[in-house]
Amino acid sequence: MAMIWEVVGGADKGGIIVREGSDLGSSIFSSRLATGAKVKEVEMAADGRLCYELVSGTGPTSGWVTVNLKGKDLLVKVEVKEAEVEPKSEASTDAEQVEQIEQVVSESNESESPKEVSSDEKNEKKPSGEEKEAFKQYLEKFGENRSGGNPGYNRKSFPWAVNHAAKRATPKEAIEAALAAKPKPSTRRPAHNAVDSDGEEVPLCTRCLMPVGEFAYEGRQGRGSCVHAECMAQILVEDAQRQEDRRAGWENEKKLRSRKEYDIGWRMDSVPKNGLLAARLGCETTSRGMCCLVLDEASRTVKVAPTLEPAAAVNLEYLLLALKVRKTASREPLFSLDPVDPQNLEKTPQKKVYEPSWLAGTSVGDVMFQADYFLKELALGEYEMPVAGMLSVFDWSELSDKERTWAGREWFVVRKAEVRLAQDKTLVPFVKMGVEAREQVVTKKGLEDAPVTASTHPLKKFADSFSRHFDLIAERKSVVFHLRELAKASVMAKYLVDSKARLDPAWYKLADEIVQSTPPEQYPEIPQLWNMRGNSRIQLKNGKLVDIITGGQSSLQAIYGGVEFGLDRFELAQRHAMQSQARGPGMPLAQSSRPLFMPQRFQLGQRGEMPQGVDLNLDKFNLSTEERFAGRLPPCSADAGSLPHRTALGKAFLQSLQEKSWPGVKAADEKLLLNVFAVPQCDRVEEGDAFIPPDPNMEYVTQVRHIVGEEESMRTRRRMRFADKSFSVSNPGPEFPRSWTSGFQLELDGKVPVSAPTKFGLSKIEIDDSMRKNLLEDVLPSAASEFEKTAEDGAIYRIYKIGSVEVRTIQETDGPETICVVFSSGAASWEANSAKPDDRIEKEKLSKCKMYVEAVEHEASNGRVGCNFYLVLETHGKTTLMTELPRGGEVSWLQNPRSLEDRNSLAKLLFQADCKDGITVEDVKKFQQSLVLPAGSGAHHSKQYAKAIFKYVTARGLRGKWGGNRKRHAPTSTSSQPNGIPGRLGLAAMGHSSDFLNVMWLARSAQSKTGMAGRGNL
């Protein structure tokens, strides 16, 4: 029969490579065989390469192609009966035969269309009865202590108990009134000026619509418009953030193109299948079935057997290649991603270095490179963290010393390695992995380790965090999981070689065939890894913009590393146990002369290379004691024809995950599995039938449960922080992802606030179930959120502002939106921080007086928020006084009030002046007592009181001073121009973007309004 093949691979590259001959070293055609093309089989080589003739599609008319690469099918068969393609007569031409073949192929494609799929074919996607039975057996042993160990507990995984006071619901009428208290939107365009109750024309800030004092900046609306200095600073921050977001988006697109061009990124279908290799090694199993090795101690041989034990499973292709490396090079596979030019770290590309070199292009080489690259990108903040609360190297750097530049290396290591023996003599490899990091310095010889890497170094803190969460990361991230599978295979390979196990020569022959059929490395060099974040501080001093201090773009461009298994620190050979059976089924191991500890400074004295990528060096491990749990592991292997021989667990596990139900499993274990796999950070669910469930042994399950418990504790802290009225949208705090915090900050009077200012005047409202339901079903769906952020675990945090009510909600992944807390905004209350005796404070002389205006949101009307005026008085004795006439109508005097800096940062500075010589606090209080103001309370009375006190202590009137000095803003530098106007920052200072200069206006001085100068009336 004529065999037709269809090209299914190479869709992202325009097709697959075609060579002129069967040898992989033969020349390559300039054009590719397009995806979707149909070809006729001419010859099939022993190594799986196909000689074809083109039937349909584009590409070379004939040549040699690879049918399967790294477990991924590049071509699939389309069977065509001979009768359907035989010529009708001897006069039929080759063209007619081709036309007939195309017709049959077309009919075959039509029959495979979704409309024609039968119910039986649809059911193939669901687990079979045998697969369900195998999965049931797996679940029955989930969490069982089968190794005899005592996993203990991790106190970090248990959140502290919080005592909640009895809650009383706020009356429904009060909540409804607050919800209905929405400010009426103004139908008129906001004016630049307004006339107050004194008949005085007062300019308004075009951003916040509050009065402007004696100094302001010209707004974007042009001449006549005013903007507070504080509002101008906010404009600069917002524009800088927009430019940063635009730059980050452009860079992300560039990185995506680079990943696609250089084939960077883990593919689930690149994992080698066991089926074909197992058959050639004497074990028939499904293509996605798991395999293990069984030891025959009498003959010192091993055989391949099917298994349903994830811990005992080994990937046969990884094992064969690791055996070949161990046999020929007496080591483990190594991959290193190094700078081509260590003296030029910022621009040099990175080269892939494999040891042995023939690993390039193999499945082992691919998983090492992809895992190493993933580690680097994760460290640089390219992805959401795989565990809630983890921070990238970039995040740690920003929290410590962001101005310092450094280079470093990080790499995967094996912390523990064992080969365990089950009751049926199944060999069970065990590894415990982590990440190491070292700071590096540039020398004449290139990059070398610094003498000491501090425990507080950003790279070290990231490595420690990754190591602590390694097991959970491996279960969620496919590339890390398969790196651990490669480590298990390397442990097994070292054991087989060191113990002088008798292996069939076919094992090494298979490894040779795999290497020979592997195409050469396509991209031996890749671009430099990079990441950048804008960060600037905009300075405000005495109500004016002083300078913009910018770090430009912070970058960490010199992080190298890889994977070092270091298994030779373990002696895995069972030398004595094979000579004497009296010592039980464990593996007593020979004593090693190597030290049992690592030096403080890591060095590879036995080898010349320094791991910058993946080094599976096992020489550092020494296992010289008998396994404490030897013989307790239950049987792991199965015979031909058994259930493990015919089934795989992946399909049934993912089906249960999709249904979020595991029959017969404890509620705690079911919740654990959902928290591990049913989260956005997990990509292993895309592995399909190749998915391998987690080890059900209690020892491993408990370790993962502890990490998940820490994650849940972090979520609890996030909910508590989000429900606190001090939560700030601009600086949420360390509990939330670092990306939520802007890198652009305001520096007020020389101080950068550690946390953003708190919202004052918020009071918590307790709501009952009926009001909660009303808010969720009737109010919030039609409201627009003022704040909405998504955490790395998929939880969405929202803040709604409805009238004078603030509603904060949380929506977990695939869950409904729930109300976290409800606040009502009102007038703020203030308390003194400390007090001096009245006789002392009243004698202190005043030095400076400042007038502020703040928004009172709950008094908004006609599209404008209400205003409140207050004064801050400073004495020569370093005492700070705050006085105001609040809504209650009683004058307030506070000495050193708490949170005054936060209150001032939310307010706008209108006027400031030095006080009259000799005036004391006692004098001001006497004047205040004699001051007669109109009855009532409100913004007008607050303003009258502030103006009266300001005039008394400074001898300055305010009429005609509102908005009197107006400037257009220009950022300053350390030098000034001859005309006295500060110089302008270059483009490099603000992210190399000319667009950012849209908000950088030239400075000028405005003349005072005609007829207003010199007036002293209040």
Side-chain angles (χ1 to χ4, degrees):
M1 62 184 296
M3 187 62 66
I4 301 299
W5 296 75
E6 180 182 357
V7 181
V8 296
D12 57 340
K13 299 181 177 63
I16 62 176
I17 296 175
V18 181
R19 297 182 182 272
E20 294 182 356
S22 61
D23 187 3
L24 290 174
S26 61
S27 58
I28 301 175
F29 283 99
S30 58
S31 60
R32 291 181 175 233
L33 185 59
T35 304
K38 308 293 191 304
V39 297
K40 176 183 176 182
E41 178 181 328
V42 177
E43 180 183 352
M44 177 65 74
D47 60 356
R49 291 181 56 75
L50 171 70
C51 179
Y52 75 89
E53 289 183 358
L54 183 64
V55 173
S56 64
T58 60
T61 56
S62 63
W64 287 83
V65 293
T66 299
V67 175
N68 184 284
L69 179 62
K70 299 179 183 178
K72 179 181 179 181
D73 289 331
L74 302 183
L75 296 95
V76 295
K77 295 179 181 179
V78 179
E79 293 188 0
V80 183
K81 296 181 180 179
E82 291 186 17
E84 294 176 318
V85 298
E86 284 182 353
K88 295 180 179 179
S89 66
E90 297 180 357
S92 297
T93 62
D94 292 340
E96 290 174 341
Q97 294 181 26
V98 171
E99 183 178 353
Q100 293 171 1
I101 292 174
E102 290 178 348
Q103 181 178 356
V104 174
V105 170
S106 176
E107 293 173 355
S108 175
N109 289 341
E110 291 177 1
S111 67
E112 294 173 358
S113 64
K115 296 180 181 180
E116 302 295 333
V117 175
S118 64
S119 59
D120 292 338
E121 291 172 334
K122 291 180 180 178
N123 290 334
E124 289 182 359
K125 298 181 180 179
K126 297 182 179 180
S128 64
E130 289 186 340
E131 289 174 328
K132 292 180 179 179
E133 177 61 26
F135 184 55
K136 180 182 178 181
Q137 296 179 11
Y138 166 82
L139 293 177
E140 289 175 351
K141 56 194 176 188
F142 191 86
E144 289 184 357
N145 187 359
R146 299 182 296 158
S147 63
N150 180 16
Y153 71 97
N154 182 356
R155 63 182 301 181
K156 292 184 179 180
S157 63
F158 297 93
W160 294 102
V162 179
N163 294 324
H164 298 281
K167 299 179 180 179
R168 297 182 59 184
T170 305
K172 184 177 180 180
E173 295 77 10
I175 300 177
E176 291 178 346
L179 290 172
K182 298 181 181 179
K184 298 180 180 180
S186 176
T187 57
R188 299 178 301 171
R189 184 177 180 181
H192 294 169
N193 300 277
V195 179
D196 65 5
S197 56
D198 296 333
E200 183 178 9
E201 183 180 9
V202 177
L204 301 179
C205 174
T206 57
R207 179 179 174 89
C208 67
L209 300 181
M210 290 198 299
V212 174
E214 62 182 339
F215 183 85
Y217 291 91
E218 184 176 288
R220 290 181 173 177
Q221 290 77 6
R223 184 171 299 177
S225 62
C226 295
V227 179
H228 291 115
E230 295 84 354
C231 292
M232 177 59 70
Q234 293 173 1
I235 291 174
L236 293 177
V237 168
E238 292 170 1
D239 282 4
Q241 189 62 56
R242 277 194 294 269
Q243 291 299 321
E244 169 67 9
D245 294 341
R246 189 178 297 122
R247 180 200 59 78
W250 174 81
E251 281 194 353
N252 288 337
E253 292 180 0
K254 182 178 179 181
K255 291 174 184 177
L256 287 175
R257 292 194 300 268
S258 178
R259 291 189 185 106
K260 184 176 180 180
E261 178 182 355
Y262 292 94
D263 196 19
I264 299 173
W266 178 249
R267 299 189 311 273
M268 308 299 174
D269 55 7
S270 64
V271 180
K273 302 176 183 178
N274 279 336
L276 294 177
L277 293 176
R280 296 186 63 177
L281 293 175
C283 173
E284 296 290 342
T285 184
T286 62
S287 61
R288 289 300 187 183
M290 295 186 294
C291 296
C292 64
L293 299 186
V294 181
L295 174 67
D296 185 338
E297 292 182 309
S299 62
R300 296 193 302 174
T301 60
V302 293
K303 68 175 182 178
V304 179
T307 184
L308 290 180
E309 285 287 343
V314 290
N315 186 289
L316 295 181
E317 184 165 323
Y318 293 163
L319 175 62
L320 291 173
L321 292 176
L323 272 172
K324 179 177 173 63
V325 176
R326 171 61 62 177
K327 191 70 172 179
T328 58
S330 299
R331 59 167 307 146
E332 296 74 35
L334 177 142
F335 167 77
S336 182
L337 192 61
D338 301 341
V340 175
D341 181 7
Q343 302 295 331
N344 186 15
L345 293 178
E346 294 187 2
K347 296 182 180 180
T348 182
Q350 294 173 305
K351 60 182 177 181
K352 302 176 185 177
V353 180
Y354 298 91
E355 185 63 37
S357 60
W358 51 261
L359 284 173
T362 63
S363 58
V364 169
D366 183 56
V367 71
M368 290 193 296
F369 163 64
Q370 300 293 356
D372 177 47
Y373 206 89
F374 172 78
L375 178 66
K376 307 300 183 298
E377 289 189 311
L378 193 68
L380 292 176
E382 286 296 307
Y383 305 114
E384 294 287 354
M385 291 294 110
V387 178
M390 269 189 68
L391 297 179
S392 68
V393 175
F394 231 146
D395 298 333
W396 285 116
S397 180
E398 288 182 346
L399 291 173
S400 54
D401 187 3
K402 70 176 78 174
E403 305 297 331
R404 179 171 174 260
T405 59
W406 49 268
R409 63 185 180 100
E410 58 182 3
W411 67 100
F412 290 104
V413 296
V414 171
R415 300 279 177 81
K416 185 177 182 180
E418 297 172 346
V419 175
R420 303 174 176 179
L421 200 62
Q423 292 178 359
D424 60 350
K425 310 304 181 184
T426 299
L427 298 171
V428 182
F430 173 82
V431 295
K432 188 70 176 177
M433 297 188 66
V435 174
E436 289 287 345
R438 297 289 186 273
E439 184 177 2
Q440 293 190 291
V441 294
V442 180
T443 66
K444 295 181 179 180
K445 299 179 181 179
L447 284 172
E448 294 185 353
D449 284 353
V452 177
T453 300
S455 60
T456 57
H457 192 281
L459 198 59
K460 186 69 167 61
K461 293 180 78 69
F462 172 79
D464 292 344
S465 178
F466 198 105
S467 300
R468 189 168 62 254
H469 301 116
F470 193 97
D471 289 332
L472 181 57
I473 296 174
E475 293 299 338
R476 286 178 174 172
K477 292 300 180 182
S478 178
V479 67
V480 180
F481 176 85
H482 287 285
L483 179 69
R484 190 174 63 180
E485 291 297 298
L486 175 58
K488 288 169 57 179
S490 298
V491 168
M492 189 67 76
K494 175 176 171 56
Y495 166 76
L496 293 175
V497 173
D498 289 357
S499 65
K500 295 182 170 58
R502 295 178 179 177
L503 299 178
D504 192 315
W507 288 47
Y508 296 105
K509 183 179 179 181
L510 273 176
D512 293 337
E513 292 180 5
I514 294 172
V515 174
Q516 292 173 5
S517 62
T518 301
E521 179 70 50
Q522 199 167 7
Y523 304 104
E525 293 184 2
I526 59 174
Q528 171 69 270
L529 275 166
W530 82 95
N531 196 2
M532 307 173 75
R533 290 183 189 173
N535 58 89
S536 299
R537 293 204 308 271
I538 298 177
Q539 291 183 323
L540 271 172
K541 190 173 184 179
N542 295 326
K544 298 180 182 180
L545 291 174
V546 179
D547 197 1
I548 297 179
I549 300 178
T550 174
Q553 309 296 335
S554 293
S555 61
L556 298 176
Q557 297 178 320
I559 299 181
Y560 303 92
V563 181
E564 180 195 26
F565 285 177
L567 298 183
D568 280 342
R569 194 169 62 179
F570 293 104
E571 284 288 346
L572 299 174
Q574 191 183 359
R575 294 165 184 162
H576 299 306
M578 287 191 174
Q579 297 173 4
S580 174
Q581 303 300 321
R583 305 192 56 178
M587 280 174 282
L589 303 176
Q591 190 71 28
S592 172
S593 60
R594 299 187 180 93
L596 300 179
F597 59 89
M598 287 290 293
Q600 290 184 350
R601 182 186 176 190
F602 179 80
Q603 291 178 328
L604 290 181
Q606 299 171 351
R607 301 178 183 173
E609 70 276 343
M610 178 183 293
Q612 306 280 12
V614 179
D615 183 8
L616 308 188
N617 170 27
L618 309 183
D619 292 333
K620 303 187 300 298
F621 295 90
N622 186 345
L623 299 183
S624 57
T625 59
E626 186 174 344
E627 306 294 345
R628 57 184 173 82
F629 42 77
R632 295 189 181 183
L633 288 174
C636 298
S637 61
D639 299 327
S642 62
L643 192 62
H645 176 265
R646 302 189 303 271
T647 60
L649 295 175
K651 185 184 296 185
F653 186 95
L654 295 180
Q655 179 71 20
S656 294
L657 180 63
Q658 185 178 1
E659 298 172 354
K660 296 185 177 181
S661 175
W662 285 269
V665 175
K666 298 178 182 178
D669 293 336
E670 185 172 303
K671 181 180 179 182
L672 172 65
L673 293 173
L674 288 174
N675 286 335
V676 172
F677 297 104
V679 292
Q681 303 106 305
C682 180
D683 62 13
R684 287 199 58 220
V685 294
E686 302 173 15
E687 292 179 353
D689 296 349
F691 180 87
I692 299 178
D695 180 4
N697 189 32
M698 180 182 179
E699 179 185 11
Y700 182 76
V701 171
T702 303
Q703 292 172 359
V704 175
R705 195 189 305 276
H706 287 166
I707 305 174
V708 172
E710 292 182 24
E711 247 192 343
E712 186 58 36
S713 297
M714 173 59 72
R715 294 190 185 98
T716 301
R717 293 197 298 273
R718 286 179 175 178
R719 286 190 289 268
M720 295 176 63
R721 175 63 180 164
F722 189 63
D724 195 299
K725 67 178 182 179
S726 64
F727 175 83
S728 171
V729 298
S730 60
N731 192 350
E735 296 85 0
F736 294 91
R738 181 66 183 171
S739 59
W740 289 18
T741 302
S742 174
F744 301 92
Q745 298 176 330
L746 295 179
E747 183 178 308
L748 184 61
D749 292 333
K751 297 180 180 180
V752 179
V754 177
S755 60
T758 300
K759 278 190 174 182
F760 301 106
L762 290 181
S763 58
K764 186 177 180 180
I765 299 178
E766 298 295 345
I767 59 176
D768 55 22
D769 293 339
S770 61
M771 178 55 65
R772 188 181 303 272
K773 181 178 180 182
N774 179 47
L775 287 172
L776 289 172
E777 296 181 358
D778 301 331
V779 179
L780 298 185
S782 59
S785 59
E786 289 191 348
F787 170 83
E788 183 171 333
K789 291 287 187 180
T790 303
E792 67 278 88
D793 60 355
I796 304 175
Y797 296 78
R798 298 186 181 96
I799 297 179
Y800 299 89
K801 190 66 180 296
I802 309 167
S804 60
V805 172
E806 183 175 294
V807 183
R808 301 181 184 180
T809 68
I810 301 176
Q811 184 174 3
E812 300 291 347
T813 306
D814 298 331
E817 187 173 16
T818 59
I819 293 178
C820 178
V821 69
V822 180
F823 291 107
S824 175
S825 59
S829 60
W830 306 95
E831 297 180 359
N833 191 29
S834 62
K836 298 179 181 179
D838 290 340
D839 55 345
R840 285 187 52 192
I841 186 65
E842 291 186 355
K843 301 300 181 181
E844 289 189 13
K845 296 181 179 180
L846 298 177
S847 60
K848 186 175 287 291
C849 178
K850 297 180 181 180
M851 180 188 293
Y852 291 89
V853 62
E854 62 184 357
V856 184
E857 295 183 356
H858 65 283
E859 295 186 2
S861 63
N862 296 324
R864 289 175 52 192
V865 298
C867 297
N868 180 61
F869 296 80
Y870 67 92
L871 294 175
V872 175
L873 304 174
E874 299 175 2
T875 70
H876 290 288
K878 305 301 181 181
T879 300
T880 301
L881 300 171
M882 192 274 294
T883 180
E884 63 179 329
L885 181 62
R887 294 301 183 268
E890 296 184 2
V891 174
S892 171
W893 279 87
L894 287 179
Q895 182 185 144
N896 298 320
R898 296 175 180 174
S899 305
L900 180 61
E901 290 184 0
D902 282 350
R903 185 179 187 183
N904 291 344
S905 66
L906 291 173
K908 319 295 180 188
L909 177 62
L910 298 179
F911 300 96
Q912 61 177 337
D914 294 333
C915 296
K916 295 184 297 186
D917 293 338
I919 189 170
T920 64
V921 175
E922 183 180 17
D923 296 334
V924 179
K925 286 189 174 182
K926 290 180 179 179
F927 174 77
Q928 176 263 320
Q929 294 173 359
S930 64
L931 184 64
V932 179
L933 294 174
S937 61
H940 167 63
H941 297 83
S942 172
K943 178 181 177 183
Q944 289 290 324
Y945 174 78
K947 289 169 64 176
I949 300 295
F950 185 88
K951 180 180 179 181
Y952 175 75
V953 300
T954 64
R956 287 182 54 190
L958 301 182
R959 181 172 294 276
K961 300 296 184 181
W962 300 87
N965 189 11
R966 200 171 306 170
K967 291 185 178 182
R968 301 179 70 190
H969 171 65
T972 60
S973 63
T974 55
S975 60
S976 298
Q977 303 295 334
N979 57 7
I981 300 176
R984 198 165 115 174
L985 286 175
L987 297 181
M990 297 309 298
H992 308 279
S993 173
S994 59
D995 294 337
F996 189 83
L997 297 180
N998 291 335
V999 296
M1000 297 183 182
W1001 296 279
L1002 295 176
R1004 67 175 178 82
S1005 297
Q1007 299 293 332
S1008 299
K1009 295 184 178 180
T1010 305
M1012 292 187 179
R1015 294 186 182 181
N1017 297 332
L1018 182 63

